[in-house]
Amino acid sequence: MAALNIVAFATDVLRNASYYLFAQLFSRIVNFFYMLFLAAHLPTDQFGALNIALTILIVADTIADLGLSRLAVRTLARDASLVSTHAGRLLALKLVLSLTVYGICVGGILLSGQGPEVTLFVAVIGAGLLLTGMSAMLEGVLQSQSMFGYIGGAHILLSLVQAGTGVWVILAGAGPAALALTFLVSNFAFVAVTLSGVIRKAGLG
């Protein structure tokens, strides 16, 4: 019996690891070619402004997390029954932190006198901090319950939506505001998938 349990556990771990590694590899490949596309089709100053904004927001997203995603994994992995009660509280706290950091980012960019395109990208894409804050927390909840199928699917969908809408917007000749909005759309898709997994686990849907 013990041997069977070990085999089942090892099989489960390998399956979950395979889901996650494939999703990460696929997403990175898509993102790599998407960045090449952006570099080839965007004006140099606009591509530079986008990368400055993304760098700022990656740091801001890390600060806004404050280890809450790891806390969710550690706490909920110990007791799955806490998902229905604790997930909502952790999400609410994460949203408050994300909103605060977003306000600081936008205020800092305005005070620093950055160019209009950097300001636009930070303001629009930065609004996605509310979504990425939710997605990081939701992903933490799913990790605690070993629901890596949802996580993998969310990462794949994120990369496809982001690249697909971005390519479409640029080829259509739309401006930087439309390009910035594609990041919000892709983050919304990620949240939708991960949230559906948490709702399912909590027995709310």
Side-chain angles (χ1 to χ4, degrees):
M1 182 65 69
L4 290 176
N5 289 336
I6 293 174
V7 171
F9 175 76
T11 302
D12 189 53
V13 170
L14 288 173
R15 183 176 63 251
N16 287 328
S18 299
Y19 286 152
Y20 191 74
L21 288 175
F22 173 78
Q24 290 292 312
L25 179 61
F26 180 88
S27 299
R28 289 179 187 277
I29 291 173
V30 172
N31 290 336
F32 174 75
F33 284 105
Y34 179 49
M35 291 305 292
L36 290 180
F37 176 85
L38 291 178
H41 289 80
L42 289 179
T44 303
D45 56 342
Q46 193 175 112
F47 183 71
L50 175 63
N51 279 278
I52 290 173
L54 291 176
T55 301
I56 293 172
L57 294 172
I58 288 172
V59 175
D61 187 47
T62 302
I63 295 173
D65 187 66
L66 285 178
L68 287 176
S69 299
R70 292 183 179 276
L71 176 63
V73 173
R74 185 171 64 251
T75 302
L76 300 179
R78 295 172 180 169
D79 188 352
S81 66
L82 296 177
V83 172
S84 59
T85 56
H86 283 51
R89 296 171 186 173
L90 289 170
L91 278 174
L93 179 57
K94 188 64 181 288
L95 285 173
V96 171
L97 290 171
S98 298
L99 183 60
T100 301
V101 173
Y102 171 66
I104 293 172
C105 282
V106 174
I109 288 296
L110 291 174
L111 291 175
S112 66
Q114 293 290 331
E117 288 189 337
V118 175
T119 303
L120 172 66
F121 283 134
V122 169
V124 177
I125 301 176
L129 281 174
L130 302 178
L131 294 173
T132 57
M134 287 182 63
S135 64
M137 183 59 61
L138 291 168
E139 185 173 352
V141 174
L142 293 174
Q143 285 179 0
S144 72
Q145 304 305 309
S146 299
M147 299 176 70
F148 286 90
Y150 279 94
I151 297 173
H155 279 284
I156 291 173
L157 183 62
L158 171 68
S159 61
L160 289 176
V161 171
Q162 183 172 290
T165 56
V167 169
W168 177 72
V169 161
I170 291 174
L171 293 181
L179 177 62
L181 285 172
T182 64
F183 288 85
L184 292 180
V185 173
S186 59
N187 283 326
F188 182 81
F190 188 96
V191 169
V193 174
T194 52
L195 181 59
S196 67
V198 172
I199 290 175
R200 177 186 174 188
K201 184 62 183 181
L204 301 177

